[in-house]
Amino acid sequence: RKEVEQDPGPFNVPEGATVAFNCTYSNSASQSFFWYRQDCRKEPKLLMSVYSSGNEDGRFTAQLNRASQYISLLIRDSKLSDSATYLCAVNLHDYKLSFGAGTTVTVRA
Amino acid sequence: DTGVSQDPRHKITKRGQNVTFRCDPISEHNRLYWYRQTLGQGPEFLTYFQNEAQLEKSRLLSDRFSAERPKGSFSTLEIQRTEQGDSAMYLCASSLVGTSGSNEQFFGPGTRLTVL
């Protein structure tokens, strides 16, 4: 079983829609969690950290469910510029991040 | 730009040649990481440094790979006798870990290696 798994998508949504997707992790001892955004052929950019019960940043909401070992990302009022691959990352031993393969989101006009 | 920088951005080499990449982290960050990413996959951890000490190496890092961070600032990643399977994006990241220890890692633009 992979350490971090994501639904690859793609999620094709119209502008203004809400889209949500999950990321599951296998090690219950994982300490911290992150969402990164990656545009085609670019580096991952930190979107938000996810701690304890989750957090919100503008149109983006991240949740952590330790019991079921998953985190989620919800994007409200989608913009064309939200089209990207969203990578989930999990920190186990306070150094390396283990990444999922990413979820592709395409927002259409 | 005060972010992580990497050089070169692109490298095309022939199989069997040696290549070296450089990473300059965010200046106040004490940790520096190397990852590798292939198409359709997330980044995979290779190694990391705390200051100048290399503290962990992945099993992905064969003996053809070596990384250094001699003065605790910039780092180099060398690949000897490159193979076609080494073709990937090599990403460097840095973080500041201290008592508050969030370990948020910030990535550089990467070096895209193509081995012919």
Side-chain angles (χ1 to χ4, degrees), chain B residues 80-101:
Chain B
Q80 296 182 324
R81 304 181 303 281
T82 52
E83 301 173 355
Q84 288 184 324
D86 297 331
S87 296
M89 174 80 94
Y90 289 84
L91 292 160
C92 177
S94 69
S95 70
L96 176 63
V97 179
T99 53
S100 64

CSV table of all heavy atoms in Angstrom, one decimal, chain B residues 80-101:
chain,number,residue,atom,x,y,z
B,80,GLN,N,26.7,10.5,-11.0
B,80,GLN,CA,27.7,10.0,-11.8
B,80,GLN,C,27.2,8.9,-12.7
B,80,GLN,O,26.2,8.2,-12.4
B,80,GLN,CB,28.8,9.4,-10.9
B,80,GLN,CG,29.5,10.4,-10.0
B,80,GLN,CD,30.6,9.8,-9.2
B,80,GLN,OE1,30.5,8.7,-8.7
B,80,GLN,NE2,31.7,10.6,-9.0
B,81,ARG,N,27.8,8.8,-13.9
B,81,ARG,CA,27.5,7.7,-14.9
B,81,ARG,C,26.0,7.7,-15.1
B,81,ARG,O,25.3,6.7,-14.8
B,81,ARG,CB,28.0,6.4,-14.4
B,81,ARG,CG,29.5,6.4,-14.1
B,81,ARG,CD,30.0,5.0,-13.6
B,81,ARG,NE,29.3,4.5,-12.5
B,81,ARG,CZ,29.5,4.9,-11.2
B,81,ARG,NH1,30.4,5.8,-11.0
B,81,ARG,NH2,28.8,4.3,-10.2
B,82,THR,N,25.4,8.8,-15.5
B,82,THR,CA,24.0,8.9,-15.7
B,82,THR,C,23.4,7.8,-16.5
B,82,THR,O,24.0,7.3,-17.5
B,82,THR,CB,23.6,10.2,-16.2
B,82,THR,OG1,24.3,10.5,-17.5
B,82,THR,CG2,23.8,11.4,-15.3
B,83,GLU,N,22.2,7.4,-16.2
B,83,GLU,CA,21.4,6.4,-16.9
B,83,GLU,C,20.1,7.1,-17.4
B,83,GLU,O,19.6,8.1,-16.8
B,83,GLU,CB,21.1,5.2,-16.0
B,83,GLU,CG,22.3,4.6,-15.4
B,83,GLU,CD,22.0,3.5,-14.4
B,83,GLU,OE1,20.8,3.4,-14.0
B,83,GLU,OE2,22.9,2.9,-13.9
B,84,GLN,N,19.5,6.5,-18.3
B,84,GLN,CA,18.2,7.0,-18.9
B,84,GLN,C,17.1,7.1,-17.8
B,84,GLN,O,16.3,8.0,-17.8
B,84,GLN,CB,17.7,6.3,-20.1
B,84,GLN,CG,18.6,6.5,-21.3
B,84,GLN,CD,18.1,5.8,-22.5
B,84,GLN,OE1,17.5,4.7,-22.5
B,84,GLN,NE2,18.2,6.4,-23.7
B,85,GLY,N,17.2,6.2,-16.9
B,85,GLY,CA,16.2,6.2,-15.8
B,85,GLY,C,16.4,7.3,-14.8
B,85,GLY,O,15.6,7.5,-13.9
B,86,ASP,N,17.5,8.0,-14.9
B,86,ASP,CA,17.7,9.2,-14.0
B,86,ASP,C,17.0,10.4,-14.5
B,86,ASP,O,16.9,11.5,-13.8
B,86,ASP,CB,19.2,9.6,-14.0
B,86,ASP,CG,20.0,8.5,-13.3
B,86,ASP,OD1,19.5,7.7,-12.5
B,86,ASP,OD2,21.2,8.3,-13.7
B,87,SER,N,16.4,10.4,-15.7
B,87,SER,CA,15.7,11.5,-16.3
B,87,SER,C,14.5,11.8,-15.4
B,87,SER,O,13.7,10.9,-15.1
B,87,SER,CB,15.2,11.2,-17.7
B,87,SER,OG,16.3,11.0,-18.6
B,88,ALA,N,14.4,13.0,-14.9
B,88,ALA,CA,13.4,13.4,-14.0
B,88,ALA,C,13.6,14.9,-13.7
B,88,ALA,O,14.5,15.6,-14.2
B,88,ALA,CB,13.5,12.7,-12.7
B,89,MET,N,12.7,15.5,-12.9
B,89,MET,CA,12.8,16.8,-12.3
B,89,MET,C,13.4,16.6,-11.0
B,89,MET,O,12.9,15.9,-10.1
B,89,MET,CB,11.5,17.5,-12.2
B,89,MET,CG,11.5,18.8,-11.5
B,89,MET,SD,12.1,20.1,-12.6
B,89,MET,CE,10.6,20.7,-13.2
B,90,TYR,N,14.5,17.3,-10.7
B,90,TYR,CA,15.2,17.3,-9.4
B,90,TYR,C,14.8,18.6,-8.7
B,90,TYR,O,15.2,19.7,-9.1
B,90,TYR,CB,16.7,17.1,-9.5
B,90,TYR,CG,17.0,15.6,-10.0
B,90,TYR,CD1,16.9,15.3,-11.4
B,90,TYR,CD2,17.2,14.6,-9.1
B,90,TYR,CE1,17.1,14.0,-11.8
B,90,TYR,CE2,17.4,13.3,-9.5
B,90,TYR,CZ,17.4,13.0,-10.9
B,90,TYR,OH,17.6,11.7,-11.3
B,91,LEU,N,14.1,18.4,-7.6
B,91,LEU,CA,13.6,19.5,-6.8
B,91,LEU,C,14.4,19.7,-5.5
B,91,LEU,O,14.7,18.7,-4.8
B,91,LEU,CB,12.1,19.3,-6.5
B,91,LEU,CG,11.2,19.3,-7.7
B,91,LEU,CD1,9.9,18.6,-7.3
B,91,LEU,CD2,10.9,20.8,-8.1
B,92,CYS,N,14.7,20.9,-5.2
B,92,CYS,CA,15.3,21.2,-3.9
B,92,CYS,C,14.2,22.0,-3.1
B,92,CYS,O,13.4,22.8,-3.6
B,92,CYS,CB,16.5,22.1,-4.1
B,92,CYS,SG,17.3,22.7,-2.6
B,93,ALA,N,14.2,21.8,-1.8
B,93,ALA,CA,13.3,22.5,-0.9
B,93,ALA,C,14.1,22.9,0.3
B,93,ALA,O,15.1,22.3,0.7
B,93,ALA,CB,12.1,21.6,-0.5
B,94,SER,N,13.6,23.9,1.0
B,94,SER,CA,14.2,24.3,2.3
B,94,SER,C,13.1,24.6,3.3
B,94,SER,O,12.0,24.8,3.0
B,94,SER,CB,15.2,25.4,2.1
B,94,SER,OG,14.5,26.6,1.8
B,95,SER,N,13.5,24.5,4.6
B,95,SER,CA,12.6,24.8,5.6
B,95,SER,C,13.3,25.3,6.8
B,95,SER,O,14.6,25.1,7.0
B,95,SER,CB,11.8,23.6,6.0
B,95,SER,OG,12.6,22.6,6.7
B,96,LEU,N,12.6,26.0,7.7
B,96,LEU,CA,13.2,26.4,9.0
B,96,LEU,C,12.5,25.6,10.1
B,96,LEU,O,11.3,25.7,10.3
B,96,LEU,CB,12.9,27.9,9.2
B,96,LEU,CG,13.4,28.5,10.5
B,96,LEU,CD1,14.9,28.4,10.6
B,96,LEU,CD2,13.0,30.0,10.7
B,97,VAL,N,13.3,24.9,10.7
B,97,VAL,CA,12.8,24.0,11.8
B,97,VAL,C,13.4,24.5,13.1
B,97,VAL,O,14.6,24.5,13.3
B,97,VAL,CB,13.1,22.5,11.6
B,97,VAL,CG1,12.5,21.7,12.7
B,97,VAL,CG2,12.5,22.1,10.3
B,98,GLY,N,12.6,24.8,14.0
B,98,GLY,CA,13.1,25.2,15.4
B,98,GLY,C,12.1,24.8,16.4
B,98,GLY,O,11.4,23.8,16.2
B,99,THR,N,12.0,25.6,17.4
B,99,THR,CA,11.1,25.1,18.5
B,99,THR,C,9.6,25.1,18.1
B,99,THR,O,8.9,24.3,18.6
B,99,THR,CB,11.3,26.1,19.7
B,99,THR,OG1,11.1,27.4,19.3
B,99,THR,CG2,12.7,25.9,20.3
B,100,SER,N,9.3,26.0,17.2
B,100,SER,CA,7.9,26.0,16.7
B,100,SER,C,7.6,24.9,15.7
B,100,SER,O,6.5,24.5,15.5
B,100,SER,CB,7.5,27.3,16.1
B,100,SER,OG,8.3,27.6,15.0
B,101,GLY,N,8.7,24.4,15.1
B,101,GLY,CA,8.8,23.3,14.1
B,101,GLY,C,7.7,22.9,13.2
B,101,GLY,O,7.1,21.8,13.4
